[in-house]
Amino acid sequence: MYEPLDPIRREVRLLQLIGGSDDGPIQCSLRTVSLDETDLEFATLSYVWGDESITRDVLVEGHPRAVTANLESALRNFWRYFTENGVSISIRCDLVSSIVDEPNGVTGLRRYLSSEDCDLHHESDADEGTDSEDERGADGTSNKPSVKDRLFVRRIIAAGHRARVGGGYLPIWVDALCINQGDPAEKNKQIHMMQEIFTKAGCVFSWLGPSGHNNLDLALSAIRKLAVRVRDGYSISQLNQDYPELCAMHSDLPPFNKYWQAISNFAEAEYFERSWIFQELWAAADSDETIFLCGDEHLPMGSLTRYRAWADSLLTQRSDDTPLFGRFIPIFPLITQIYGMKAGRENAVGATRLFLDIVRRSRCKNPRDKVFALFRIFRMGLTPDYTMPVADVYAAWASDSSQDLPLGSLIFYSGIGLYPRTLGTHNLASWQPDFERLGDQTSWCDAVYAYRHSDAGTPAKYKPTISPTRYLTCFGVQVTKVGKVASQAGKKIVDYTNVTRGMIMDYALNSTSMILLLKYLVDNKGRFWTHAYHERGSPLHALVETVNECTHGGDPPTLGLLGDTLREFTPYNLFMKALTVRDGPSNFTVDELKFLGFQSEEKLWECLAGMSSNPKDDDGFNPATEPSEGQENALLGFVSRLLNFSFNKNLFHTVDGRVGGGPPGTETHDLVYLIHGCSLPVLLREVEGKLRHVGVCYIPGLSGVDVFRILKESESDVRELSLV
């Protein structure tokens, strides 16, 4: 069925639908063409493969071919759309073509087709909206086609493309069928051409699933109607006037009604999580004929981007008097990133940071596709090769000239102490980010710290390098080592074997891990609650700073946490706030109380209240007074971060008495190094005479700008390190 393709002619195969039936398979044929043909006209299909264990047969050149159920539903949708609408759609397209250049021709046709007695009427013709004021002259006449006219023409053309695919008049490129998936050499060559395939396509269809799937068809319809009116400056009050149904509050919690629920489902759809989607939409972003499909509904990309620009503009308009639902309007971050890259804005913050952000959020079947799906967009000097070991693909990315992240910052995204760590699966070096698991292992905080301090001041002789044998050579100085792991992150014991869609936070386990931290605080009350516990530099202040930094990122939220505010961080108050933020009963369970060392809840509160009843301090502050709103917010914020910390980080003490937070795999005797090019301390472990990277950690006084100061002061002690 698959004849060899000629790479010199840059040949590709296109799929042509030739028939079908309600109770039989869809029938297709394959046509080989060259991308260099001047009159070549075709469409492409962008979709999620779905569960590969659930398949349906299609007939390709008369031979049954098993494809995923999601792909079969897309092909069947094209065929059914043609059989039900092909004739009327063809006439509508001819009418548009005949009058599109006539003055007010589209407006007249739009009114005719939207009338109920018109045989060619389609419900989308009646989408509400009037022409935008900014597109009319001072005398009220139209200087150019109105928004409504332009969107109307796009809908007609989109429907025409859809019907032509279903009738076999417009061939379509579908990766699963147009690439011989059993030929790695052909797959390598075709993937190298994918960006051009999507760029040259006259139309890109983005298939979201059959009608009713997560109400995505309702989302497409709602956004299509909104796109007619929304523009920069379009307010929530105007929205309420034009579309009161969108502003109805059917729930006290976001997204408040079925329309915003559907749009939220769309913004968070599995479709946008697929690694290849970014390249496919990026290549087709400049086309007005990129069309989202769900069942019978459709949405041109132009309408989505118009909505997206408006939703994004609301971020700067929102204020305290903005209606609650107006603060939760989905903004489609992936679409925002794509258009930001197209405009050159995203590159300002670093291409590699954006690459890692996409990798962290995306999924794919083959771990190599974490790199191959993006190599053309980020101008990597790589050639897709599915015979390469995964570790070699990731190493090639790390050493590629397009990679603008300082090599010292790579270790923010890697380490054998991260969980889940698939040791042995790909034979990754300890310093290599595991792109397959990156979304489970790292958070936005890691990215913030990786970029907070540049290594521009690192002497050339101390800049990290990668060897052909996958060693990371760096330079640093040992400052201390882990003396005791005080609490174990709950994340370490989560079973990830059945996790299929990113990280699933186990809140019950999160609550349990927080109990472990609370027990640690009770057991060490004499260490943390001394007479000067509220002062900067105290053990309690160091603990609060560690928890805040490990879970907050950005500017340290601890800077203003001094004096009176920190006085409210008593054991009693911490336990009270813990009950409000943890996911569980309103009181501690019997087992939890026993674990904490108390026979009853009364004994617990009696003990904690006694620890909090310090005498009046010399500065006249009475700890028994009612805390201010600012103190309450600071305490609640800390306890919320403590819950997060207890799940994701180990609390440890160093041999010289410092407190720190590290990855779930932190162990006693791990070495603490400061390394040139990295703004946080690095945990290293000696295994069989070789150094392995465990992960970055946070230790007050040894982090951020202190790293560079200490390295400069300790230049004579800097040694060369080879991480395996």
Side-chain angles (χ1 to χ4, degrees):
M1 182 171 67
Y2 289 109
E3 296 293 331
L5 296 175
D6 185 349
I8 304 300
R9 295 189 65 241
R10 303 192 316 129
E11 288 184 338
V12 297
R13 299 186 189 92
L14 299 177
L15 192 74
Q16 203 156 2
L17 274 64
I18 57 176
S21 63
D22 290 333
D23 56 357
I26 298 297
Q27 303 170 43
C28 315
S29 63
L30 289 173
R31 167 187 166 195
T32 301
V33 300
S34 169
L35 280 181
D36 296 323
E37 290 183 18
T38 55
D39 58 348
L40 182 61
E41 186 183 13
F42 67 99
T44 57
L45 182 66
S46 174
Y47 67 105
V48 174
W49 277 42
D51 189 342
E52 294 186 59
S53 66
I54 304 175
T55 61
R56 302 284 186 272
D57 278 348
V58 298
L59 292 180
V60 182
E61 304 290 358
H63 302 284
R65 176 72 185 273
V67 298
T68 62
N70 192 45
L71 172 54
E72 194 273 346
S73 70
L75 299 178
R76 184 169 294 279
N77 183 273
F78 283 117
W79 168 78
R80 187 180 59 79
Y81 188 81
F82 170 75
T83 58
E84 295 177 0
N85 305 287
V87 174
S88 63
I89 291 297
S90 178
I91 296 174
R92 287 162 64 94
C93 287
D94 290 342
L95 287 173
V96 166
S97 299
S98 65
I99 54 84
V100 69
D101 294 325
E102 295 181 8
N104 298 316
V106 175
T107 301
L109 178 62
R110 189 187 73 206
R111 291 170 181 165
Y112 165 66
L113 291 178
S114 64
S115 60
E116 293 290 344
D117 56 350
C118 175
D119 293 338
L120 301 176
H121 170 75
H122 187 275
E123 62 176 10
S124 66
D125 295 333
D127 285 350
E128 293 182 301
T130 56
D131 299 335
S132 300
E133 294 177 2
D134 59 343
E135 299 196 49
R136 294 197 165 273
D139 60 354
T141 60
S142 176
N143 294 326
K144 57 182 178 180
S146 69
V147 171
K148 192 162 189 177
D149 282 349
R150 294 202 309 271
L151 295 180
F152 172 77
V153 170
R154 283 181 191 170
R155 291 200 300 271
I156 296 289
I157 294 174
H161 289 320
R162 188 177 183 182
R164 290 175 63 207
V165 170
Y169 302 106
L170 180 66
I172 188 167
W173 187 88
V174 182
D175 57 355
L177 294 172
C178 295
I179 298 176
N180 183 357
Q181 299 293 327
D183 185 346
E186 177 181 307
K187 189 175 179 181
N188 293 339
K189 293 185 178 70
Q190 289 285 294
I191 284 177
H192 204 278
M193 299 164 61
M194 270 189 63
Q195 181 178 325
E196 187 172 1
I197 292 172
F198 273 82
T199 301
K200 292 199 69 171
C203 183
V204 175
F205 290 102
S206 298
W207 175 247
L208 303 174
S211 179
H213 177 63
N214 286 335
N215 278 338
L216 298 186
D217 43 354
L218 177 62
L220 301 190
S221 173
I223 293 175
R224 194 181 64 240
K225 292 178 180 179
L226 273 171
V228 176
R229 287 182 182 255
V230 297
R231 59 190 181 277
D232 190 20
Y234 186 78
S235 67
I236 296 295
S237 59
Q238 289 174 294
L239 178 71
N240 187 40
Q241 180 179 350
D242 294 336
Y243 302 106
E245 69 276 14
L246 293 179
C247 301
M249 299 283 284
H250 297 153
S251 169
D252 294 334
L253 298 174
F256 307 112
N257 62 48
K258 66 178 183 179
Y259 298 101
W260 293 115
Q261 178 66 68
I263 295 174
S264 296
N265 292 347
F266 181 25
E268 299 168 5
E270 182 183 2
Y271 173 84
F272 291 118
E273 296 177 358
R274 180 172 164 257
S275 295
W276 285 103
I277 293 301
F278 192 95
Q279 173 175 265
E280 293 166 3
L281 294 183
W282 185 87
D286 294 331
S287 172
D288 284 340
E289 296 175 12
T290 299
I291 304 154
F292 293 93
L293 302 177
C294 179
D296 292 335
E297 282 293 350
H298 71 284
L299 176 70
M301 173 68 88
S303 297
L304 177 59
T305 54
R306 187 175 173 85
Y307 160 87
R308 191 273 312 166
W310 166 71
D312 199 41
S313 71
L314 286 180
L315 290 175
T316 58
Q317 299 177 23
R318 294 171 193 170
S319 60
D320 292 340
D321 59 351
T322 299
L324 190 58
F325 80 89
R327 305 172 196 172
F328 294 92
I329 290 179
I331 61 172
F332 291 82
L334 182 67
I335 303 297
T336 300
Q337 284 181 328
I338 289 172
Y339 278 86
M341 280 194 68
K342 283 285 188 178
R345 295 192 302 270
E346 294 290 354
N347 290 332
V349 299
T352 303
R353 182 177 181 178
L354 177 60
F355 169 84
L356 290 168
D357 184 51
I358 297 169
V359 166
R360 184 165 48 245
R361 292 184 289 103
S362 66
R363 300 183 300 110
C364 56
K365 182 182 72 170
N366 191 314
R368 298 170 183 82
D369 286 338
K370 290 283 191 172
V371 174
F372 293 160
L374 300 169
F375 83 103
R376 290 289 296 274
I377 295 176
F378 290 92
R379 298 180 176 85
M380 302 176 195
L382 306 176
T383 299
D385 182 355
Y386 284 87
T387 65
M388 285 179 67
V390 173
D392 290 348
V393 174
Y394 293 178
W397 166 82
S399 57
D400 187 77
S401 59
S402 68
Q403 206 277 95
D404 64 357
L405 184 72
L407 290 181
S409 295
L410 278 181
I411 55 183
F412 279 89
Y413 303 90
S414 61
I416 61 174
L418 301 180
Y419 279 82
R421 179 72 180 182
T422 51
L423 286 174
T425 303
H426 302 310
N427 194 31
L428 296 175
S430 64
W431 58 267
Q432 286 187 275
D434 187 352
F435 291 156
E436 191 173 20
R437 291 289 196 178
L438 200 62
D440 301 336
Q441 295 176 334
T442 64
S443 67
W444 65 273
C445 296
D446 303 293
V448 168
Y449 246 119
Y451 277 86
R452 181 184 290 182
H453 300 288
S454 170
D455 73 339
T458 301
K461 63 180 179 180
Y462 291 145
K463 288 190 179 293
T465 57
I466 299 173
S467 72
T469 53
R470 288 199 288 118
Y471 278 78
L472 177 67
T473 300
C474 53
F475 300 86
V477 56
Q478 182 182 345
V479 289
T480 185
K481 68 178 180 179
V482 176
K484 178 184 178 181
V485 176
S487 71
Q488 181 66 63
K491 189 174 185 178
K492 182 175 181 180
I493 53 177
V494 173
D495 179 10
Y496 286 85
T497 55
N498 294 318
V499 175
T500 57
R501 293 192 61 186
M503 177 177 171
I504 296 179
M505 179 70 78
D506 186 333
Y507 287 101
L509 182 57
N510 201 350
S511 178
T512 301
S513 61
M514 187 174 184
I515 293 292
L516 296 175
L517 259 182
L518 293 175
K519 175 176 173 54
Y520 165 77
L521 294 176
V522 172
D523 292 344
N524 291 270
K525 55 183 178 295
R527 170 186 173 88
F528 291 107
W529 283 279
T530 61
H531 179 73
Y533 74 89
H534 57 282
E535 295 180 359
R536 187 177 183 87
S538 68
L540 180 62
H541 187 279
L543 173 68
V544 173
E545 183 177 352
T546 299
V547 171
N548 285 352
E549 285 294 294
C550 286
T551 56
H552 185 272
D555 295 327
T558 318
L559 290 179
L561 202 60
L562 302 173
D564 292 354
T565 301
L566 197 60
R567 289 178 194 268
E568 293 301 317
F569 286 55
T570 64
Y572 184 90
N573 288 345
L574 288 175
F575 273 71
M576 285 294 294
K577 284 295 182 286
L579 289 177
T580 67
V581 302
R582 74 192 190 110
D583 187 57
S586 58
N587 298 302
F588 293 106
T589 67
V590 173
D591 288 341
E592 289 171 344
L593 288 169
K594 287 183 178 179
F595 181 78
L596 290 169
F598 300 96
Q599 295 300 314
S600 67
E601 195 161 300
E602 289 76 12
K603 293 292 184 182
L604 167 67
W605 297 120
E606 180 182 338
C607 171
L608 298 179
M611 291 164 56
S612 305
S613 57
N614 295 323
K616 187 174 180 179
D617 290 327
D618 295 336
D619 61 3
F621 178 79
N622 186 349
T625 58
E626 191 72 19
S628 68
E629 182 179 353
Q631 292 168 334
E632 282 281 344
N633 291 338
L635 180 61
L636 182 60
F638 169 70
V639 176
S640 298
R641 288 188 283 270
L642 189 67
L643 181 67
N644 189 336
F645 179 94
S646 69
F647 187 81
N648 291 287
K649 301 291 183 181
N650 281 7
L651 184 70
F652 65 83
H653 296 292
T654 63
V655 293
D656 56 349
R658 299 174 184 268
V659 65
T666 303
E667 296 179 359
T668 303
H669 306 308
D670 282 345
L671 309 176
V672 181
Y673 270 83
L674 302 184
I675 291 177
H676 279 285
C678 182
S679 58
L680 284 183
V682 178
L683 296 175
L684 302 181
R685 186 177 302 160
E686 190 169 334
V687 181
E688 298 178 350
K690 296 181 178 180
L691 288 176
R692 296 184 186 275
H693 171 46
V694 178
V696 295
C697 63
Y698 181 83
I699 303 174
L702 297 178
S703 304
V705 293
D706 291 324
V707 170
F708 305 103
R709 173 184 57 80
I710 296 171
L711 283 172
K712 186 174 182 179
E713 295 172 353
S714 309
E715 186 169 2
S716 60
D717 297 322
V718 172
R719 54 172 289 202
E720 180 178 310
L721 308 168
S722 293
L723 308 184
V724 298

